[in-house]
Each structure stands twice: as structure tokens, then as C-alpha cells.
Amino acid sequence: MQILEKSGLEAWKKAKEMKPEKVISLLNKKGLAGRGGACFPAGTKWEFALNSESDKKYVICNADEGEPGTFKDKYIIINNPETLVEGILIACNTIGAKHAYIYLRREYRYLEKNLTKIIKKIIKKADTDIQIDIVLGAGAYICGEETAIIRSIEGRRGQPYYKPPFPAVEGLFGKPTIINNVETLANVPLAIIKDDWNPNLRLFSLSGNLKNPGIYEMPLGTSLKELIALGKPEKSIKAIYFGCAGGCIPFNQEWKIDPEFINSTGCMLGSCTMIAVDESQSIVDIVTIIAKFFEYESCGKCTPCREGSMRILSLLEKISLGYANMDDIKLLEELCCVIRDSSLCGLGQSSTMHILTALKNFREEFEEKCRLR
Amino acid sequence: MPDKLDKIIESKKLLLPILTEIQDRDGYISEDNVRQLSKKTKIPLSEIYGVATFYSFLTTKPEGRNIIHICNSPSCYVNGSLNIIEFIEKELGIKSGQTTEDKLFTLHIGSCIGCCDKAPAMLLNGEVHDKLTEKKIKGIIKKCRS
Ligand code: SF4
Ligand code: FES
């Protein structure tokens, strides 16, 4: 696997000799896109922070991997922490930060000890005065969001706030800050040092109704058939969920896993999470479970998401218990669109994608429940 | 002589790490601690409660000696987590958010813990237990009780 290759601080040494602008243009030329879900070019993000004048700057490594079905960052932290830490150091050095935080979700607390050891080792070897601290989350899905993570590290409620100002201009403690996902930062040293580094390889978290779930590294553009076959499904697969936030598609074998194509189906590839659901499962039940997740994880700051997620859940419970009629399905669809269009942050905006796509692709399962009345 | 709370404030500085430290030490964040903390740090009570009640791993009432966070997100759900949850509820006689009378267990049903490839999964006092079956649960509960 490419992600398990090491740089052994070669990339750090090389980047230190280069002008920051050169490091950034190298990363952009190599095509390093953010792996947290938005696919934003990593170099460009760094450039904003580099150009912001300030006495202090920060780097945040987002290890708050909370999207259900996702465990690739954990895989990297366990299997290649050295390269991750080296990537953080390069990020700091490039934008001019002396301090970095790794925001590690509390559910992964058991990774803290070894990661602390590796940080110490790499900093010593790199002979730098950059400081890297681990901040443990306290259990909140919303803290994967850029502005919420900033609030949480500041010690406050992890609630998002309006952008601009963007973190690269005014972030942690009011200072320019870049926030990158674990997989992005771990790729930085490899992109810098390896001539044959492939920007299209992604870590797919495969789970659900599979005999061989796990992490698989494959290029974007792989067919669904090929990827899901790696997981060895035992029954016929009906749907693929891109986590809770990414929506669902029918398992169309010929479809290619390409972010733009997935977008065109009304879904989001996000962090390459794939939950395979077989024919024995009820989509209405899964939709209800996911709605519960969003109702629980809504941070409560804005009305459409806070109130809407509760309404959605009660409508879905009505449907799944068989008390609903066709008008309730229409109401559900309308409410989903309102929440999508009027919520403050990505959590609310994406929280109904799974319902809208389920209604598009598996509508008969909802209507069946209504007909049973 | 500075008391223990002073030491925590001194070493952790920011509100969230202070509260997590108290949570780790006492198993919950008591009203008494919140009041003292507010006095010492000049952070309003409301703000401290705001943070203490925002995160799912912080609690303002005492928890049991063994804390279970069991996942009910999709990967676990399609692998039968609901049956396992019902089994635990029956074995312990409590629902999510509750503590057993003997103060031995607290149960939280929550979101994904990143062990989706070994579903269904849970954390017991922060440690992963995965590929859960009724038999495994029985063994875990028995071990905690002895
Ligand atoms: S959309 Fe939801 S999670 Fe985001 S700010 Fe609003 S209430 Fe909070
Ligand atoms: S879905 Fe249960 S651990 Fe991820």
C-alpha cells in the first residue's frame, strides 16, 4: 500500500531546504487533494495561511474520524504514525507555525499513548522546536467540522460558526490556522519524496454486510463491482451507503467510484466510506437509524437542523411503524429539502441526503409501508 | 496550599480539558466542582454547564464503575447490534443513559466508534470489544461482576 510507505524524514529535510511557496506548488503539482471529504487542494489551503500575516499560526490535524463506517484514519495512526507526524511538521514549517494540535476523538483514546511516543521520537529526530500536542475530544460528531474543532480545542462547546473569516485567516485563538485530515497529512511526505506517488489512490473503509470488511487502497475510478468484491459479500448487495452523511445508491455493478459521478447521483463520496447493505435489510429501518444519529448529533445551534431532525425522526418512525400515508412521504421529502437548504453547517446540510437518495432509489419500500395500513 | 482543583486548572488551562480531567478523576462533574471551578476561573456557571452537557463523554451525574458505549450506527446495525443492545438491556435491567442499582454498570447507546469492520462493537471503559455475540456479552458482564 502506498499509504504505508515511509519517508524516514527525507521529505522533511527536502521541504526545509525549499521556499514555502515551492513546497506548496509542488504539492499542487502532484495533485494532493484533501481527504476529509471536500477534496480541496491541500496546497491552496496552506497558501492562504502562509499569506496571512501573524505572530502565531497553528496547524490542526483532524483525527476526529466520526463519520459512521469510517476507520481509515485509525488505520493510518496505527500503521504509519511516523509519516503522519512528519506531514504535520512539514505543514508547520511551510506556513510558519510553531504549534500543532492533533484533535483525536475520545473513542480512539487507546491510540494516544503510542502516538505520543512517536511524536516525541520524530520531533527529536527532526531536531525542531515545533510542538505537537494531542487534544482529546469528548464525544461529538460535529467536532469533525472545521470551525467546531477550533471551538473545541479552545475548550468551548464544539459548535460551528459562520465563515468568513476562514480559519486560514482567523482560526484557533483568532490566529491563522490550517486544518487537515489525517490521511491528507500522512500523504504530504510521500507526495514530496516519491516520484511515483499516485494522487488517485484512496483508502476505502468497507463495512456492512460483508465477510471481509476492512481498509482497501484503490484508485478513484475503480468500479463498484471490483471494490465490493474485495469485501466478499455473502448475499446479494442492494445498496451502498457513503457513511451517514453521504447518501445511498443502488448497487449498480458497472458504476465507477468517481467523486463527480457520485455527486451526480445526489450522493457524496466524502471520505470514501462504503457500507454495503444486503437484500435482507429494510431501507426504511436504516433510514430511521441514520435519522436517529443526526437527531442525536445535531449541535443545536440552528433551528432547521435542531428542530428538523426531530420532526424527520418522528415522521420516519410513523412510516416504519406503518401509521403513515402517502402525504407523509411528500411532507418528509419537503422537510428534507428545507433542512438541506437552510442549515448553518455541513452536518445539517448533508443530514437529509440519505433520505432523499433513499426516496429516489428505494421509494417502493417507503410506499409499501404506507400501503400496509 | 493549592487544592487538587487548582492543580488541574493550572495544568490543563482550557475549560474542556479541565472538565475531562475532572470526569476521569471523579467519574462525573459534580455541581460542587462546577461552582468551585466557576469561582476560581471566573468562567460563568452557565458556560461551564454549557460545555459539560455538550459532549457525550462528559456527565453531570455519577456513572457506574463500568461504562459501556455501544454503537448503533449503520455498519453495526446491519450486523445485528439491535439484538445485542436488547440483550444487554435485559441482562443489566437498564436502558441507555441509566446506571444499575449496584452502581456497577452504565449503558450508553451511541454513535460509531470506528470499529465498523468488526461489527457490532462497543467500548467498555474505553477499551474495544468487537464482533459481539450474546455469549461474549455474558462473559464480559460476568467478569465485571466478579
Ligand atoms: S446545521 Fe446542525 S450541527 Fe450545524 S450548526 Fe446547525 S444545528 Fe449545529
Ligand atoms: S458503525 Fe458501529 S463501530 Fe462504526
Side-chain angles (χ1 to χ4, degrees), chain A residues 68-69 71 74 105-110 138-140 142-143 152-159 207-209 213 244 275 281 285-286 289-290 293 296-297 299, chain B residues 14-17 20 24 47 49-51 53-58 72-75 77-79 82 109-118 123 126-128:
Chain A
F71 41 99
K74 178 171 95 170
R105 68 188 305 225
R106 180 149 299 245
E107 291 83 345
Y108 289 173
R109 190 178 199 169
Y110 48 88
I142 187 59
C143 288
S152 188
I153 295 179
E154 289 172 346
R156 302 199 256 169
R157 284 165 76 91
Q159 285 182 313
S207 69
N209 295 126
C244 283
I275 305 172
Q281 306 286 340
D285 286 352
I286 295 173
I289 283 287
I290 299 180
F293 168 80
Y296 180 75
E297 296 291 354
C299 85
Chain B
L14 298 168
L15 185 53
L16 179 58
T20 21
D24 283 349
E47 197 180 325
Y49 267 117
V51 175
T53 54
F54 185 80
Y55 296 94
S56 61
F57 280 67
L58 301 179
N72 198 30
S73 287
S75 314
Y77 176 78
V78 299
N79 280 292
L82 216 54
I109 302 174
S111 306
C112 175
I113 56 169
C115 303
C116 333
D117 54 340
K118 299 192 182 75
L123 293 173
E127 223 172 87
V128 176

Side-chain angles (χ1 to χ4, degrees), chain A residues 142 160 297-302 305-306 343-349:
Chain A
I142 187 59
E297 296 291 354
S298 166
C299 85
K301 180 162 176 165
C302 68
C305 170
R306 181 187 64 238
S343 291
L344 166 63
C345 83
L347 188 153
Q349 290 156 12

